[in-house]
Amino acid sequence: MEATQSLAPRTDWTRAQITALFDLPFDELMFQAQTAHRAHHPSSEVQMCTLLSIKTGGCPEDCGYCSQSASAESGVKAEKLMDVDAVLVSAAEASAAGSQRFCMGAAWRNPKDRDMPALVQMIAGVSAMGMETCMTLGMLTEEQAGQLKEAGLDYYNHNIDTSPENYSKVITTRTFQDRLDTLDHVRGAGINVCCGGIVGMGETRSDRIGFIHALATLPRHPESVPINGLVPVKGTVLGDMLEGTPLARIDEIEFVRTVAVARITMPASMVRLSAGRESMSDSGQALAFLAGANSIFTGAKLLTTPNAGDDRDADLFARLGIVPLQGEEPMRAMEVAE
Ligand code: SAM
Ligand code: DTB
Ligand code: SF4
């Protein structure tokens, strides 16, 4: 099976084609990833996004990786939804630090209708600062997606997280199909989609193939594809399972292969090197950028876990010659042209 690539986005990828990409010699894989990258994106530019947990902990879902699940014993305390003003203070700081997108995350199975007015005010306030807005609030009804769109939400993050066949081993309180249904509601409302998942959860390569295949064969590719490396948190099912078994953790080369295959199969999407950067080596991150990652989370904290931090990032970017993204994302520009 020859692992050929198309430079135009296509949604008819087969599992065999994706398997063949994963199996390529590393240099060939990186060459194909760079070719796909440069057909759609400027080189050396990386988008800077900032995360804020607007509602932390106490989540009724049982995602095996997550510190915020009520079923985890991670020490993360359940908090209420933040006040709008406090969210806007954080957003202003992120904007001053050069962030281009502000992503607000809530530890909910789904937002309640009574939460919607505050969410709408957060979107309006952040947009007024000139940053793009993103929210990740769990499952949405069609109506809620419509309300967020009307408020001006640019992106909604909702990850499929892993392959369809591995899903029930990681999460039991919802199904893969539930995720697809919310993604449909988000698309239907005209909000840009941010959808990816986590590797390094002890899954097999076949699961990583199934994960990328599910993303690359969605009716339209997500505009943003976050690839998270599991941040193992003590007290969570996966954090405890992987503790002390470093061999079960994904190695950096395999992580970079996953990024490269995402880049090749979804060439016009932004691929975000998301959680997990803190524990990656600088060379591992450099390889991930070479493999086509062109977006990151900045700052010292993700939602509840540490992130690389601005000083380390500034140092790494100076050594790599990386600068913040200058223009518009290719898939959004395409939308305007359509
Ligand atoms: N509750 C909402 C949901 O799950 O859709 C939104 C927030 S949730 C924390 C967003 C995403 O963060 C998850 O889908 C998962 O991909 C990622 N995530 C959570 N905990 C993680 C961890 N320990 N390591 C890596 N990624 C993680
Ligand atoms: C995504 O794919 N990664 C971000 C964002 N979407 C919301 C979250 C990463 C969370 C890492 C674990 C934590 O800090 O709790
Ligand atoms: Fe809740 Fe989201 Fe964490 Fe799952 S990933 S437990 S839905 S906050």
Side-chain angles (χ1 to χ4, degrees):
M1 163 94 238
E2 206 184 319
T4 48
Q5 60 164 309
S6 150
L7 293 181
R10 37 176 280 240
T11 57
D12 61 352
W13 289 96
T14 64
R15 269 187 88 109
Q17 287 170 329
I18 293 174
T19 304
L21 288 171
F22 266 98
D23 285 345
L24 282 172
F26 193 73
D27 60 336
E28 179 59 29
L29 179 64
M30 297 303 267
F31 178 74
Q32 289 202 21
Q34 268 295 309
T35 307
H37 190 80
R38 284 159 191 256
H40 295 275
H41 307 269
S43 58
S44 333
E45 290 186 10
V46 168
Q47 179 187 50
M48 311 288 169
C49 309
T50 303
L51 263 177
L52 176 69
S53 181
I54 58 169
K55 196 274 164 214
T56 304
C59 184
E61 304 270 29
D62 71 352
C63 311
Y65 46 77
C66 188
S67 62
Q68 303 197 72
S69 165
S71 30
E73 285 170 20
S74 62
V76 171
K77 297 263 168 323
E79 290 171 17
K80 288 215 282 275
L81 180 63
M82 280 173 74
D83 287 338
V84 176
D85 289 349
V87 171
L88 298 185
V89 167
S90 281
E93 284 167 11
S95 177
S99 189
Q100 301 171 317
R101 184 178 302 171
F102 196 63
C103 308
M104 294 162 266
W108 282 327
R109 175 172 164 84
N110 53 261
K112 306 250 177 343
D113 286 340
R114 63 162 191 263
D115 301 317
M116 297 308 285
L119 298 171
V120 163
Q121 286 177 40
M122 290 173 194
I123 296 166
V126 175
S127 299
M129 292 174 197
M131 272 187 296
E132 290 177 326
T133 53
C134 179
M135 280 185 166
T136 180
L137 314 168
M139 295 189 258
L140 292 184
T141 61
E142 261 181 82
E143 200 190 351
Q144 288 173 327
Q147 288 172 313
L148 295 175
K149 171 68 184 174
E150 207 174 305
L153 186 68
D154 295 303
Y155 287 81
Y156 195 77
N157 166 249
H158 199 65
N159 291 341
I160 59 165
D161 278 322
T162 188
S163 65
E165 54 280 13
N166 194 41
Y167 201 79
S168 62
K169 289 188 210 147
V170 180
I171 301 147
T172 70
T173 47
R174 56 169 191 258
T175 63
F176 196 81
Q177 187 59 45
D178 288 331
R179 292 311 256 189
L180 297 181
D181 291 346
T182 291
L183 289 170
D184 266 356
H185 299 158
V186 171
R187 268 275 176 248
I191 301 172
N192 293 293
V193 170
C194 170
C195 181
I198 314 180
V199 294
M201 298 191 289
E203 75 286 341
T204 60
R205 177 179 274 188
S206 168
D207 288 322
R208 290 187 281 278
I209 291 166
F211 159 56
I212 300 287
H213 180 253
L215 291 172
T217 56
L218 285 170
R220 184 181 157 101
H221 292 164
E223 279 74 12
S224 294
V225 179
I227 306 287
N228 296 278
L230 176 74
V231 181
V233 178
K234 211 169 166 356
T236 61
V237 175
L238 287 168
D240 289 349
M241 198 173 85
L242 297 178
E243 202 179 26
T245 55
L247 286 179
R249 299 212 52 199
I250 189 169
D251 91 296
E252 287 190 348
I253 303 287
E254 182 68 9
F255 183 90
V256 170
R257 279 188 184 273
T258 310
V259 171
V261 177
R263 166 51 66 228
I264 295 166
T265 53
M266 294 169 277
S269 303
M270 301 299 286
V271 175
R272 184 168 310 115
L273 180 55
S274 302
R277 283 199 308 121
E278 210 236 344
S279 61
M280 265 179 111
S281 68
D282 286 358
S283 352
Q285 288 193 57
L287 282 177
F289 294 126
L290 195 62
N294 59 348
S295 178
I296 58 159
F297 287 122
T298 58
K301 198 174 171 197
L302 292 165
L303 292 172
T304 65
T305 65
N307 192 25
D310 292 342
D311 291 348
R312 181 175 167 202
D313 284 346
D315 171 66
L316 179 62
F317 289 178
R319 281 150 67 211
L320 298 177
I322 286 177
V323 295
L325 181 73
Q326 310 290 311
E328 208 183 354
E329 289 183 17
M331 284 191 60
R332 292 197 69 179
M334 260 190 248
E335 205 175 283
V336 174
E338 267 168 13

